[in-house]
């Protein structure tokens, strides 16, 4: 009987650990699928063994900066260093993003690709022939290249004491939480680069390698579970 309980415990432990590996595989797959997504932040899946020997997964977001890619779009911006750009949805919800592939929406309002308003609302009239965005986020519009431009707004940058505490809600958008703390406006900075976007920080080769390792681990676990299950069946038959 004690041997049966030991086999049951082994099956239970390896089942839980295999489920954890499946979850881990899901996050690695998500990272790979977002490798080409602007400013996407890779998710790390860390395993912790509890006192009973079961693997427990902890998910963390890697907020290190991705590489900066130069573009030809004057409404593209990238953040150099830590920080997020606050954006507002059409329902008034405030989100934070690092995806600076902006465009003009209704009435010439500067918006994200998902239709959120950038900052407090920057209106770029159709009569502007050129837009200049300075490193501090100030946006200037030229109606005549031979004359001084007009300052028409500012793209703000905010930081969080604990960015890992931000909650990702899809489309490269985050919301603050009690863990992240409140946003702090960065003043007198030089973080904004025009004609540029931030790429994802996913190390594709590393993620593919991790998937292969997890797959090998899953195969080993399922094979071992099958062997243990067979031993358990034999033990029951012997007692019978």
């Amino acid at each position: 009987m004690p041997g049966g309980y030991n086999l049951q415990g082994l099956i239970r432990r390896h089942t839980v650990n295999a489920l954890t590996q499946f979850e881990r595989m899901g996050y690695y797959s998500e990272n790979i699928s977002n490798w080409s997504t602007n400013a996407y932040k890779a998710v790390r899946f860390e395993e912790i063994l509890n006192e009973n020997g079961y693997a427990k997964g902890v998910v963390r977001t890697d907020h290190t900066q991705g590489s900066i890619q130069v573009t030809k779009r004057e409404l593209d911006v990238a953040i150099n260093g830590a920080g997020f750009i606050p954006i507002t949805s059409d329902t008034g919800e405030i989100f934070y993003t690092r995806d600076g592939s902006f465009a003009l929406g209704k009435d010439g309002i500067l918006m994200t690709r998902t239709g959120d308003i950038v900052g407090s609302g920057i209106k770029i009239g159709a009569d502007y022939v050129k837009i200049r965005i300075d490193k501090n986020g100030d946006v200037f519009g030229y109606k005549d290249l031979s004359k001084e431009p007009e300052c028409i707004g500012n793209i703000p940058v905010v930081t969080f004491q604990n960015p890992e505490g931000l909650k990702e809600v899809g489309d490269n958008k985050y919301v603050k939480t009690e863990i992240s703390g409140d946003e702090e406006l960065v003043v007198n900075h030089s973080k904004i680069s025009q004609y540029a976007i931030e790429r994802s920080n996913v190390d594709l080769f590393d993620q593919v390698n991790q998937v292969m390792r997890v797959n090998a681990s899953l195969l080993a676990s399922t094979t071992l579970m099958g062997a243990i299950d067979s031993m358990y069946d034999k033990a029951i038959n012997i007692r019978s």
Side-chain angles (χ1 to χ4, degrees):
M1 187 69 72
Y5 282 122
N6 289 338
L7 288 174
Q8 286 180 341
L10 284 171
I11 293 172
R12 187 181 304 112
R13 180 173 297 126
H14 282 286
T15 299
V16 172
N17 291 345
L19 290 173
T20 301
Q21 293 302 316
F22 273 117
E23 185 179 3
R24 186 174 192 167
M25 178 79 82
Y27 285 109
Y28 287 143
S29 299
E30 181 181 354
N31 286 339
I32 292 172
S33 65
N34 283 285
W35 172 69
S36 60
T37 300
N38 293 338
Y40 174 80
K41 299 305 175 188
V43 173
R44 304 194 310 272
F45 188 87
E46 300 176 357
E47 273 188 18
I48 300 175
L49 289 178
N50 62 22
E51 61 276 8
N52 297 320
Y54 293 102
K56 177 182 179 182
V58 178
V59 180
R60 303 184 187 279
T61 302
D62 179 6
H63 282 285
T64 57
Q65 181 173 319
S67 61
I68 302 298
Q69 177 181 338
V70 177
T71 71
K72 296 182 179 181
R73 296 186 67 251
E74 64 180 3
L75 298 183
D76 282 347
V77 298
I79 301 176
N80 292 294
F84 299 84
I85 296 172
I87 56 178
T88 306
S89 71
D90 55 3
T91 58
E93 296 174 279
I94 298 177
F95 301 104
Y96 304 90
T97 188
R98 288 181 64 92
D99 183 357
S101 53
F102 300 145
L104 296 184
K106 185 179 179 181
D107 300 324
I109 301 297
L110 189 64
M111 309 188 81
T112 68
R113 60 182 178 82
T114 55
D116 299 305
I117 297 173
V118 177
S120 58
I122 302 171
K123 186 173 183 177
I124 301 177
D127 53 346
Y128 290 116
V129 296
K130 179 182 177 182
I131 300 298
R132 189 187 86 212
I133 304 174
D134 287 353
K135 291 185 177 181
N136 65 354
D138 285 342
V139 181
F140 294 88
Y142 289 83
K143 293 183 178 178
D144 188 330
L145 295 180
S146 64
K147 297 181 180 179
E148 288 296 313
E150 301 174 1
C151 184
I152 54 180
N154 176 270
I155 300 175
V157 174
V158 300
T159 57
F160 292 88
Q161 185 174 3
N162 180 25
E164 279 201 5
L166 293 170
K167 180 181 179 182
E168 204 272 333
V169 293
D171 294 323
N172 257 342
K173 299 188 291 188
Y174 298 86
V175 293
K176 64 182 179 181
T177 66
E178 290 185 4
I179 300 175
S180 70
D182 291 329
E183 70 276 17
E184 297 181 8
L185 180 67
V186 183
V187 296
N188 300 322
H189 66 83
S190 57
K191 290 177 173 287
I192 296 291
S193 293
Q194 188 182 15
Y195 296 104
I197 53 174
E198 180 184 1
R199 306 300 297 165
S200 77
N201 65 355
V202 173
D203 184 334
L204 184 60
F205 296 104
D206 175 67
Q207 295 299 301
V208 171
N209 181 56
Q210 293 294 343
V211 167
M212 293 174 65
R213 292 177 61 184
V214 171
N215 187 57
S217 176
L218 280 170
L219 288 173
S221 293
T222 53
T223 300
L224 181 58
M225 282 169 28
I228 294 172
D229 186 52
S230 177
M231 291 170 60
Y232 183 63
D233 287 340
K234 290 180 180 178
I236 292 176
N237 292 331
I238 290 173
R239 286 198 300 271
S240 299

